[in-house]
Amino acid sequence: MAKKPRQQARRGTKTAPKGVGIYHDMKVYENFERCAQRLFEMVQWAQKESPGAPRMLFLDIQGHRNSAGGFDADAFELMQDFGMGYLLQYLTELSTPLFRVRNERQRDDLPPKLLIGYPDDGSHYGYDAAKLALKPRERNPAERRSKPTLKAITAYLGLDEPACLVCGKKDVERCHVVPDKLGGSNDVRNFALLCRAHHAEAPDVADAESFWAWVDYAELRDSPDKWLDAPAELQDWLRSNGVRVGVPRREPQSFFSAVKRELKALYGWTDADFTSAVWEELMEEFHTVLDSATGKHFSIEKKVSTYAWAYDVARRRVAGETGPGQGVVSHLAPPDRA
């Protein structure tokens, strides 16, 4: 007697949604706030594109080392407090350089925005606009008189070979994050690798985190030029997938117009900030900031990035603000070039 064929699966049976892998490499120029915001946005995007699908986040970290060789405060807080303590509830799995953990019940009710608060424990976050003091990223810099080698800086930044952090060019220079003339150390953690053009553009300011925020901003602004030497087929494929190839040539503009563009793109100024400012008072504070907390490099009398930082700190001084400043660059949208 012939066997009956197996019963076909019932029509309409739903198949489980495929999992979504999310990968992010926390670069040395990302601090806790910028990286946490980007991770949140990627998880949010994954939920929107694949509702209910298991989400696995894989996090790598470059740079962000303390004097003992372990992870610094930003990296440790990102993995432990933010990753494990908050984001894991919206994931099925979280993998970091320190741990790998699974969550049996992934939540899908992500809030529309991520609000980052600062504990009221006497700790100071961000640059203190009132004091205008040196604020390096490294807490216990190595006491060395000479610059670290190119090889040592490359290894700290997590690069396979020396390359400009902004545009990827291989002909690079060792760049102080906080200039030595402002009190910056020769610790490897106080160095970046930049091509000569971006080295000449980078801000000379007393706040290390503002320097790294500028590198982050400039990388988003100029990184599409990395693809100009790629084969035409690859360039076409990148464009078809929404990747920008090549940076549009900017129209010539005045020095202050360039500063204004950077204030809006990097520091979040709006047109209202320019019209509502009491410029006599603002300019007085601006020159105080310029004289006390900025320097000159490459014999350049004026730098767009340095002036933009000084204007933003001056505005905060006029407003009486001493907490964390602006400079959180969006991961999903390119900076405004207007």
Side-chain angles (χ1 to χ4, degrees):
M1 182 176 179
K3 293 183 179 180
K4 294 182 179 179
R6 292 183 179 180
Q7 187 175 1
Q8 297 292 322
R10 294 180 180 178
R11 293 182 180 180
T13 301
K14 295 182 179 180
T15 58
K18 294 182 179 180
V20 179
I22 306 169
Y23 175 78
H24 185 70
D25 189 0
M26 183 187 190
K27 300 297 186 182
V28 67
Y29 47 73
E30 291 180 286
N31 64 357
F32 168 79
E33 289 86 353
R34 288 193 294 279
C35 195
Q37 180 65 39
R38 289 166 179 177
L39 293 176
F40 179 81
E41 289 175 353
M42 286 189 285
V43 174
Q44 197 174 51
W45 177 86
Q47 164 61 16
K48 180 180 178 181
E49 293 296 312
S50 301
R55 293 182 287 272
M56 286 74 71
L57 173 59
F58 303 90
L59 177 66
D60 276 341
I61 295 178
Q62 304 298 342
H64 290 286
R65 297 287 176 168
N66 57 29
S67 57
F71 289 109
D72 66 12
D74 273 15
F76 191 80
E77 183 180 8
L78 185 77
M79 291 184 282
Q80 186 70 30
D81 299 334
F82 180 70
M84 179 80 80
Y86 175 76
L87 200 59
L88 180 60
Q89 62 187 316
Y90 304 113
L91 301 169
T92 294
E93 184 175 312
L94 172 63
S95 179
T96 78
L98 288 181
F99 57 80
R100 182 177 181 180
V101 61
R102 288 187 62 83
N103 176 22
E104 296 302 326
R105 293 190 177 183
Q106 171 184 286
R107 294 177 56 178
D108 295 322
D109 55 340
L110 281 79
K113 292 184 179 180
L114 176 67
L115 300 177
I116 299 176
Y118 299 91
D120 187 16
D121 58 0
S123 302
H124 181 73
Y125 295 84
Y127 187 73
D128 192 332
K131 295 180 179 178
L132 296 179
L134 170 71
K135 190 173 179 61
R137 176 179 277 186
E138 74 276 8
R139 297 183 179 180
N140 299 297
E143 295 182 1
R144 53 177 298 154
R145 296 181 179 180
S146 60
K147 291 182 179 181
T149 64
L150 191 65
K151 182 178 180 180
I153 300 172
T154 301
Y156 171 70
L157 296 176
L159 302 174
D160 293 330
E161 58 182 335
C164 176
L165 290 174
V166 173
C167 65
K169 290 181 180 177
K170 299 299 188 289
D171 187 11
V172 296
E173 299 177 346
R174 294 174 292 176
C175 174
H176 276 95
V177 174
V178 176
D180 53 355
K181 292 182 179 179
L182 291 176
S185 74
N186 279 325
D187 189 296
V188 69
R189 293 167 293 165
N190 192 46
F191 279 86
L193 294 180
L194 298 174
C195 67
R196 185 167 184 81
H198 285 115
H199 193 175
E201 270 193 75
D204 299 319
V205 300
D207 178 28
E209 208 52 65
S210 292
F211 172 93
W212 289 120
W214 181 87
V215 172
D216 196 7
Y217 154 76
E219 196 275 337
L220 284 171
R221 182 193 67 188
D222 296 347
S223 61
D225 275 353
K226 296 176 182 178
W227 302 112
L228 291 177
D229 294 330
E233 297 80 3
L234 177 57
Q235 291 188 30
D236 291 340
W237 182 85
L238 290 168
R239 289 190 182 97
S240 67
N241 285 275
V243 177
R244 293 180 298 152
V245 177
V247 177
R249 183 173 297 178
R250 300 193 193 106
E251 294 295 328
Q253 56 184 180
S254 67
F255 179 80
F256 185 73
S257 294
V259 172
K260 182 178 180 180
R261 181 189 66 224
E262 197 152 306
L263 283 169
K264 295 171 78 172
L266 179 54
Y267 296 100
W269 283 41
T270 65
D271 290 333
D273 292 313
F274 292 95
T275 57
S276 63
V278 180
W279 282 94
E280 182 177 356
E281 188 177 5
L282 181 63
M283 290 304 296
E284 182 177 349
E285 292 298 336
F286 167 76
H287 285 291
T288 297
V289 176
L290 209 60
D291 294 341
S292 302
T294 71
K296 297 176 183 177
H297 201 39
F298 283 93
S299 300
I300 298 175
E301 187 67 25
K302 297 191 299 183
K303 271 190 180 184
V304 170
S305 59
T306 300
Y307 269 50
W309 180 82
Y311 273 116
D312 187 61
V313 174
R315 182 184 67 164
R316 292 168 55 200
R317 286 170 62 86
V318 170
E321 298 177 15
T322 58
Q326 298 287 335
V328 178
V329 184
S330 172
H331 178 63
L332 300 181
D336 182 14
R337 294 192 181 85

